[in-house]
Amino acid sequence: MIRRTRGLKDLLWIFALAGLVAGGFRLWFGLGATTNLTDAVPWGLWKILNMVAGVAISTSGFTIGFLVYVLKLERFRPLVKPAILVAFLGYGCSCVALLFDIGLPFRFWHPFFMWNEHSFLFEVFWCVILYFTVTTIELGPTVFEKLRLEKVSKFLHRIAFGVVVTGISLSSLHHSSLGSLFLVSPGRLHDIWYSQYLPLFFILSAMGAGMMFIVLAKILYARLYDRESVFGPRHDPSIVILSVPGAPAGNGARPQAGRDMPMLISLARIAASILAVFGVLQLIDLLVSGSWRAIAAGTWESWLWGLEFMLLVGLPNLLVWNPRNRRSPTAIGFAAFSATIGLFLHRLDVGLFGYLRSAQEAYFPSAAEWALSIGVVAAAGLAFLFFVENFPIFDEEWRTRRESLGIFQAKFDSLSRVWNTALSSGPERTTVIAVFVVPLTWMLLYPPFSRAGVEGIEAAAGIDVTRTVLCIDGDRAGLSTEFPHAEHQTRLGGEASCVSCHHLSVPGDETTACFHCHRDMTRPTHIFDHSAHTRAVAVSEELGGIRPANHSCEFCHYTGEGKSAESARSCLECHAEDSDWVEVPGAQSDLAHAVSYMDAMHGTCLDCHREEAEKPGQEYLAECSTCHRSLSRQPPPQVAVGTGH
Amino acid sequence: MQAILVDVTRCTGCERCVEACIEANGTDPVLAQRDRARTRDGLSENRLLSVPEVDGDRFVRTSCMHCLEPSCVAACLVGGLTKTPDGPVLYDPEKCIGCRYCMLACPFSIPRYEWVETTPFVRKCTMCADRLEEGQLPACVEACPHEVLLSGEREVLLREAHRRLTSGEADYLPRIWGEHEYGGTCVLYLSDVDLDALGWPERGAESIPSLTEPLISKTPFIGLGVMGSLLGVNWIIRRRMELQGSGSTSVDGVNADTGPVGADDAAGSVPPGDDETQGRVEA
């Protein structure tokens, strides 16, 4: 028994620790550096998978409570405690993941005091917090019994019914509200998934899949700890192992199924019915609203929807209602697993995939996102196993069986023994080392990946190797700008002037963008701000008078010469030290003379245009509206670009 | 209520307005210039205003539309976004917790997030609310050299827009974007090309809060209703159990083997909703 769970636990520990490391990265480096979220896809794996789907799969707490406490279907009572445990852990998981997801985790308490009752997210927040408290209270008796605090436990028992009813009401509110969250996106969410009935769809699918999940949990528990209860008596285990979905079952040779199977079957059938209702309502909605056209369109979204529908509605119903599967825990487990996966897919579709088309962006979660997402769930899995092994969750006779079967004897009774075991036996050594080494390695190897890194302007393919002219396609729009590289180089001072643009000018930038020099759009020069200089000179020279700025002219413009940019003092005379520009003797560079962006851009076209416009019948080539078509009321003449060459 | 009218036919895409915006908001011009090429519509946390190209040769000033019934204001769970009576939709960084629901809720995908920061905030156009208060024009309007942008009372601007539409000054499409869409916006557009590509909906699409508000205002009653019907159903079932005299009457009875109601039902025929259940019990 210990052996059976050890591999699983080691795996869970690796994931959980990796998740912890990822959480550390996220807090240290920030959201942008650790996730692949963008402005167009602001909600990613942590919100959709851990919160929206994680909360939905934990509905078992309220559905089983409803069946047992309200409808008084006593045969499901054995599942009450597991269901509450699943709800407690599921909601805990979501809250933890959410803490890492919000941009300012230290402000998690804001919604307690700052209210906006028009917000569905506000409602979800309160219901989730309150319901988490409810599950804690519901879980209380089990824990307090174990801790021998009978009075507390008795008190909690007495208020159980009220607590359960409160819990169900809260649940029905926030499970539908999780769907309402996406009502705000009629234009952005894909037609297949957007519906005004999203709240109804969300609560129905959550109820069905939540019940299925508790069936799955029970079957997995039985597989690990309590085989007979579900898989039948032990004497012929091969039957159990070999029973595949759809295989002929109950053909005489088969012993009776486990004592809990009828209960699981009936629960699975209730769940499947709810999922079927969900499926039918969804189909009706698709037909009525006309969104079925989006499915018929055959895009990847249609196929995704088909897969989701098959997993969430189709497969579970097919498996559960097939009479041959009545005694096959594997088939029922498979149905439950399919519904669980289907629910996750449905939530990801609505919250994530459905947005990608309008966002015009692809999103794939980063390693840190995967690690934290899975890590939180793995930690919940470990907590689940801990509770199951130490508290009477699944059955009442756990105390007696625990000794007789020797299930839970792995005690850390002395440090040396654990150490010895860990280091002496082969498989244990590997797993223990792996548990610590894998996350640690990742931590050390982790590249502090940051999307803030500036992408340099790259020369497009097909440039001349001498780099006399570069074709720059800055926005990757397929249109290139010619950059006379060699000409810039000579003018700015030859080889020594490289550093003026490359490597040093802007931190983290390898090449300087054109606008860094050609800053101004329309003025002749951009770099030099004349009025700022007159003011600055006047202040620094402490000139007197009503308009001291007027007396500062002579500082740059030598008397006796015309006041022009050419005749003025060179910029580098003052700015040699506080500039990145190198001073090259004899170079014609003057900072003041970088032409405006407009002139620089025009320069690549205008010379040729003006030349061509000289020819008869081509006068329009020199007009602004020929290129800037928005300046013209008339449609532009059909220009064959490059005539005359 | 203050608004901005954008005449797309007059814009040459010179981006003077963007320069002015960068200066007014104190963002980094170098990063802003970089983001122009890096993002889809040119908007980023460094460029709260952008002039993306539509249809090849039309330029559309794009930023927060300052909706009359803003989706983001309804969405923010801490009330960090507000619609001021003066027109602008304003963001309060003191309240924000960084859930980014406003970004998901905005039909125009306008709010931007400071992803690279470790304590990030949302950034978006404020319509220069501080300048408006001092009686100045928004920075972008002031900077525009081609009279593309007009600022003023929304009613006045709408009248002007209708006047231009009827006067036929340019080949306007017969529509004022922002007059009714999503309940109306404070940034209005006249254009001779379609603006669908920038997230504009069908003409006259209803506001997003009008989709959510009817539902959320009923929330407390739904909750109470569910609670009431649960108690009702439970009372009926208990009553029946007592009448049949076979069930355990204790609420918490452990393993009352087969409840008289549940046991003989074909499993799976239990309908999910409360009302159906009630109907079944009484039937």
Side-chain angles (χ1 to χ4, degrees), chain A residues 209-291:
Chain A
M211 286 184 194
M212 281 297 203
F213 186 65
I214 202 70
V215 171
L216 182 66
K218 169 72 184 170
I219 292 175
L220 288 179
Y221 166 81
R223 191 94 180 75
L224 288 173
Y225 297 110
D226 188 16
R227 216 181 163 83
E228 288 90 23
S229 68
V230 170
F231 290 83
R234 286 188 75 75
H235 52 79
D236 196 358
S238 63
I239 298 275
V240 173
I241 290 162
L242 289 177
S243 72
V244 273
N251 50 2
R254 192 183 168 81
Q256 80 238 40
R259 63 178 182 281
D260 285 340
M261 265 314 273
M263 171 184 77
L264 290 182
I265 292 272
S266 81
L267 186 63
R269 287 188 169 178
I270 295 175
S273 322
I274 297 177
L275 289 176
V277 170
F278 158 72
V280 169
L281 286 179
Q282 200 186 20
L283 288 178
I284 293 174
D285 180 58
L286 283 170
L287 281 176
V288 172
S289 69
S291 302

Side-chain angles (χ1 to χ4, degrees), chain A residues 47 107 116 119 181 188 522, chain B residues 16 75-76 93 96 99 101 103:
Chain A
K47 275 246 176 54
R107 286 187 178 174
N116 177 14
S119 167
L181 285 183
R188 294 176 67 186
T522 48
Chain B
R16 273 287 181 83
C76 181
C96 182
C99 73
Y101 190 35
M103 303 174 66

Side-chain angles (χ1 to χ4, degrees), chain A residues 36-89:
Chain A
N36 283 350
L37 297 172
T38 61
D39 289 320
V41 188
W43 279 20
L45 202 63
W46 294 343
K47 275 246 176 54
I48 306 301
L49 194 77
N50 291 69
M51 185 182 92
V52 179
V55 163
I57 207 69
S58 316
T59 38
S60 51
F62 103 85
T63 43
I64 304 291
F66 176 69
L67 292 177
V68 173
Y69 284 90
V70 178
L71 294 187
K72 313 234 21 114
L73 300 176
E74 288 294 337
R75 78 192 116 128
F76 296 123
R77 186 166 286 278
L79 289 179
V80 166
K81 282 177 183 173
I84 290 169
L85 180 62
V86 164
F88 174 74
L89 293 175

Side-chain angles (χ1 to χ4, degrees), chain A residues 109-355:
Chain A
W109 51 271
H110 273 198
F112 286 113
F113 301 103
M114 303 172 189
W115 289 23
N116 177 14
E117 63 281 358
H118 301 287
S119 167
F120 273 112
L121 198 61
F122 174 75
E123 186 197 331
V124 168
F125 172 85
W126 270 102
C127 286
V128 165
I129 292 290
L130 289 177
Y131 186 66
F132 187 56
T133 319
V134 165
T135 54
T136 317
I137 296 173
E138 286 179 328
L139 197 62
T142 318
V143 177
F144 288 123
E145 264 167 30
K146 163 89 176 180
L147 299 177
R148 307 243 164 83
L149 292 168
E150 275 87 4
K151 269 190 188 161
V152 187
S153 167
K154 235 178 225 166
F155 170 72
L156 290 176
H157 259 304
R158 207 170 303 140
I159 62 170
F161 183 70
V163 170
V164 166
V165 169
T166 318
I168 295 171
S169 312
L170 286 171
S171 292
S172 57
L173 284 183
H174 73 255
H175 281 296
S176 48
S177 292
L178 279 170
S180 315
L181 285 183
F182 302 101
L183 284 181
V184 296
S185 304
R188 294 176 67 186
L189 184 55
H190 197 278
D191 280 348
I192 295 182
W193 290 291
Y194 186 83
S195 156
Q196 52 175 323
Y197 298 108
L198 271 177
L200 183 67
F201 293 162
F202 264 57
I203 192 167
L204 282 179
S205 56
M207 282 167 69
M211 286 184 194
M212 281 297 203
F213 186 65
I214 202 70
V215 171
L216 182 66
K218 169 72 184 170
I219 292 175
L220 288 179
Y221 166 81
R223 191 94 180 75
L224 288 173
Y225 297 110
D226 188 16
R227 216 181 163 83
E228 288 90 23
S229 68
V230 170
F231 290 83
R234 286 188 75 75
H235 52 79
D236 196 358
S238 63
I239 298 275
V240 173
I241 290 162
L242 289 177
S243 72
V244 273
N251 50 2
R254 192 183 168 81
Q256 80 238 40
R259 63 178 182 281
D260 285 340
M261 265 314 273
M263 171 184 77
L264 290 182
I265 292 272
S266 81
L267 186 63
R269 287 188 169 178
I270 295 175
S273 322
I274 297 177
L275 289 176
V277 170
F278 158 72
V280 169
L281 286 179
Q282 200 186 20
L283 288 178
I284 293 174
D285 180 58
L286 283 170
L287 281 176
V288 172
S289 69
S291 302
W292 59 271
R293 287 189 206 92
I295 293 174
T299 54
W300 60 267
E301 284 100 343
S302 341
W303 292 103
L304 201 60
W305 180 86
L307 180 67
E308 161 211 315
F309 195 79
M310 210 49 227
L311 286 173
L312 185 55
V313 181
L315 211 52
N317 271 294
L318 285 178
L319 286 171
V320 162
W321 295 107
N322 187 342
R324 286 194 300 189
N325 289 335
R326 273 193 86 93
R327 293 176 176 204
S328 163
T330 320
I332 300 301
F334 193 72
F337 181 68
S338 164
T340 307
I341 297 293
L343 182 84
F344 275 88
L345 189 57
H346 175 253
R347 297 306 194 255
L348 284 173
D349 282 345
V350 173
L352 198 53
F353 299 133
Y355 279 89

Side-chain angles (χ1 to χ4, degrees), chain A residues 27-33 35 37-40 42-43 47 66-67 69-75 77-78 101-104 106-107 110-111 114-123 125 157 160-161 165-166 168-169 172-173 180-188 194 199 204 207 266 269-270 273-274 277 321 355 358-360 450-455 474-475 506 515-516 519-523 628-631 633, chain B residues 9 11-12 14 16 19 29-31 33-34 37-38 40 43-45 57-59 71 73-79 93-101 103-107 109 111-113 115-121 169-171 182 197 208 211-213 215-216 219 222-223 226-227 230-231 233-234 237-238 241 248 250-257 259 261-263 265 267-270 272-274 277 280:
Chain A
L27 292 180
W28 188 257
F29 294 110
L31 268 179
T35 68
L37 297 172
T38 61
D39 289 320
W43 279 20
K47 275 246 176 54
F66 176 69
L67 292 177
Y69 284 90
V70 178
L71 294 187
K72 313 234 21 114
L73 300 176
E74 288 294 337
R75 78 192 116 128
R77 186 166 286 278
D101 179 86
I102 58 173
L104 306 165
F106 51 89
R107 286 187 178 174
H110 273 198
M114 303 172 189
W115 289 23
N116 177 14
E117 63 281 358
H118 301 287
S119 167
F120 273 112
L121 198 61
F122 174 75
E123 186 197 331
F125 172 85
H157 259 304
F161 183 70
V165 169
T166 318
I168 295 171
S169 312
S172 57
L173 284 183
S180 315
L181 285 183
F182 302 101
L183 284 181
V184 296
S185 304
R188 294 176 67 186
Y194 186 83
L204 282 179
M207 282 167 69
S266 81
R269 287 188 169 178
I270 295 175
S273 322
I274 297 177
V277 170
W321 295 107
Y355 279 89
S358 67
Q360 297 175 26
S450 165
R451 289 186 294 116
V454 179
E455 291 167 18
D475 56 0
V506 181
F515 75 92
H516 194 72
R519 281 190 212 200
D520 193 82
M521 187 61 208
T522 48
R523 270 171 271 165
H628 298 282
R629 268 170 278 176
S630 57
L631 291 174
R633 297 274 156 70
Chain B
T9 61
C11 183
T12 60
C14 74
R16 273 287 181 83
E19 277 177 31
V30 175
L31 293 178
Q33 194 63 28
R34 181 203 64 188
R38 287 161 63 93
R40 185 162 48 95
L43 287 175
S44 79
E45 67 272 25
D57 60 351
R58 289 294 180 272
F59 303 91
S71 175
V73 171
C76 181
L77 82 161
V78 289
E94 293 300 312
K95 285 186 175 176
C96 182
I97 64 168
C99 73
R100 309 186 295 284
Y101 190 35
M103 303 174 66
L104 194 82
C106 176
S109 313
R112 300 289 125 150
Y113 206 56
W115 293 104
V116 296
E117 306 289 331
T118 40
T119 51
F121 293 95
E169 280 175 30
D171 291 338
Y182 292 134
I208 287 170
L211 296 173
T212 57
E213 193 58 34
L215 204 57
I216 193 144
T219 299
I222 296 174
V226 169
M227 202 180 270
L230 289 178
L231 293 174
V233 168
N234 186 258
I237 290 176
R238 273 206 261 185
M241 282 172 144
S248 130
S250 115
V251 176
D252 255 332
V254 180
N255 277 332
D257 189 12
V261 177
D265 274 283
S269 70
V270 182
D274 302 336
T277 312
R280 179 175 60 87

